[in-house]
Amino acid sequence: MIGRLFDKLTFGVTLLLALQVPQLADHYQQFLAGMYASTQWQVEGYEATAKAFGYPDVRSMIKQHQHNSEPSVRADARQKLATLDQYAELKLGIAVFANGNLLHKTLYMFTPSRYSYLEKTLDNFEPGLPLTSEGIVFGVIAGLLLNLMLTQPCAFLARRLRRRRAPDTV
């Protein structure tokens, strides 16, 4: 009886947690879109500067700045390269969230190299229930799988202990 109650409680908790993933994905997408817009504005500024000073592209301008004798110009070039790399990564994320399914979005969000973005998203996250059928289906399936992963090892161990305690019937 306690085992069944525990199983039901575990399923309820895992279902509620799993139903948060679609909501979190929406919040993450909004955060990502803001980062993308901000970074795009910077990159467009770099491109305008490169064009104004006769460089074929931004990377050519940065490459020349990397060889400048002034340390601050070289440091600025490194920062610009980091911004360009971040912009490329954000473009990828925007594409995943524009075209991918919820599983792709979840894998993207929970990639260890992106934990800082996830933490920033969680700072402003408010739990709720998804309003899309994809979100609800994802939540139910993920809740069931989490429940099975948590309860099956316990059920297996309990059965094994019961068999050991039961007298041998030979």
Side-chain angles (χ1 to χ4, degrees):
M1 176 149 157
I2 292 176
R4 287 184 183 165
L5 179 62
F6 175 74
D7 185 45
K8 289 177 183 179
L9 285 174
T10 304
F11 173 69
V13 169
T14 56
L15 177 62
L16 286 175
L17 287 174
L19 285 171
Q20 299 313 302
V21 173
Q23 296 294 100
L24 181 61
D26 288 342
H27 282 73
Y28 191 94
Q29 183 174 11
Q30 291 172 9
F31 174 81
L32 203 63
M35 286 288 295
Y36 178 77
S38 173
T39 306
Q40 184 179 32
W41 178 80
Q42 285 183 301
V43 169
E44 287 172 353
Y46 301 162
E47 290 169 345
T49 301
K51 185 177 179 181
F53 288 94
Y55 292 99
D57 58 30
V58 176
R59 292 199 182 266
S60 298
M61 178 182 73
I62 292 171
K63 188 173 184 177
Q64 184 173 3
H65 289 178
Q66 286 177 315
H67 294 86
N68 192 293
S69 62
E70 189 65 41
S72 63
V73 174
R74 290 193 308 268
D76 185 56
R78 284 190 299 274
Q79 289 175 343
K80 282 180 171 58
L81 276 178
T83 301
L84 290 176
D85 291 343
Q86 181 184 33
Y87 182 62
E89 178 68 26
L90 289 169
K91 262 184 167 175
L92 173 69
I94 292 294
V96 167
F97 278 84
N99 304 316
N101 60 36
L102 195 51
L103 182 60
H104 291 126
K105 294 173 186 178
T106 303
L107 292 173
Y108 183 89
M109 287 189 305
F110 287 98
T111 299
S113 63
R114 298 185 189 99
Y115 278 161
S116 63
Y117 289 173
L118 185 59
E119 287 174 342
K120 290 174 185 169
T121 302
L122 287 170
D123 287 344
N124 298 309
F125 179 69
E126 300 229 356
L129 294 175
L131 299 177
T132 64
S133 58
E134 180 187 25
I136 292 170
V137 169
F138 177 88
V140 170
I141 291 172
L144 283 170
L145 290 174
L146 282 171
N147 183 51
L148 286 172
M149 288 188 314
L150 291 172
T151 59
Q152 287 306 308
C154 294
F156 177 74
L157 185 62
R159 272 187 248 127
R160 196 167 175 169
L161 288 173
R162 272 190 243 128
R163 284 184 196 145
R164 281 187 182 171
R165 288 183 186 156
D168 289 332
T169 55
V170 178

